[in-house]
Amino acid sequence: QVQLVESGGGLVQPGGSLRLSCAVSGSILSIYAMGWYRQAPGKQRELVASITSGGSTNYADSVKGRFTISVVNVKNTVYLQMTSLKPEDTAVYYCNVDGRTIATSRRNYWGQGTHVTVSS
């Protein structure tokens, strides 16, 4: 079984910063990529940023230059540093892991989500 535990969400003023963390535990054997998605009220879930096991990153155009994804492999933890936050960044942020266990083939795993609210 694989668990993804997110933390770091909250309320922040426009222009502020937050750092999200996602710790992966359990029987994960291989991780191919990790990422962050978000879902705002009434909207579809969208990719925010991702990073492959080789270190390649991908960002949504709306967050380029403001958000940075990073990973600490020995901790199986992925971070999302968010700066210059805007009200439109308000959403539930979900951690995602593309990986496999001994018992399962490659698949996506999801965290429970953490709320980010950008408001004055």
Side-chain angles (χ1 to χ4, degrees), residues 24 28-34 51-53 76-77 97-100:
V24 183
I28 195 80
L29 181 64
S30 299
I31 294 177
Y32 303 100
M34 304 176 83
I51 184 167
T52 68
S53 58
N76 274 354
T77 300
V97 170
D98 174 7
R100 68 181 181 93

Side-chain angles (χ1 to χ4, degrees), residues 27-47:
S27 57
I28 195 80
L29 181 64
S30 299
I31 294 177
Y32 303 100
M34 304 176 83
W36 291 92
Y37 287 70
R38 67 185 180 188
Q39 188 166 18
K43 294 188 177 181
Q44 289 189 329
R45 190 174 297 189
E46 62 175 358
L47 173 69

Side-chain angles (χ1 to χ4, degrees), residues 1 18 23 37 39 44 51-52 56 70 82 115 118:
Q1 199 171 4
L18 280 176
Y37 287 70
Q39 188 166 18
Q44 289 189 329
I51 184 167
T52 68
S56 297
S70 61
M82 304 185 293
H115 289 261
V118 184

Side-chain angles (χ1 to χ4, degrees), residues 56-96:
S56 297
T57 57
N58 183 41
Y59 294 92
D61 287 342
S62 59
V63 307
K64 283 180 180 177
R66 300 189 297 122
F67 291 9
T68 303
I69 189 169
S70 61
V71 63
V72 177
N73 290 319
V74 293
K75 293 184 178 180
N76 274 354
T77 300
V78 60
Y79 302 93
L80 185 68
Q81 179 68 49
M82 304 185 293
T83 63
S84 301
L85 282 160
K86 305 175 181 179
E88 50 263 45
D89 295 317
T90 295
V92 179
Y93 284 70
Y94 296 91
C95 177
N96 172 270

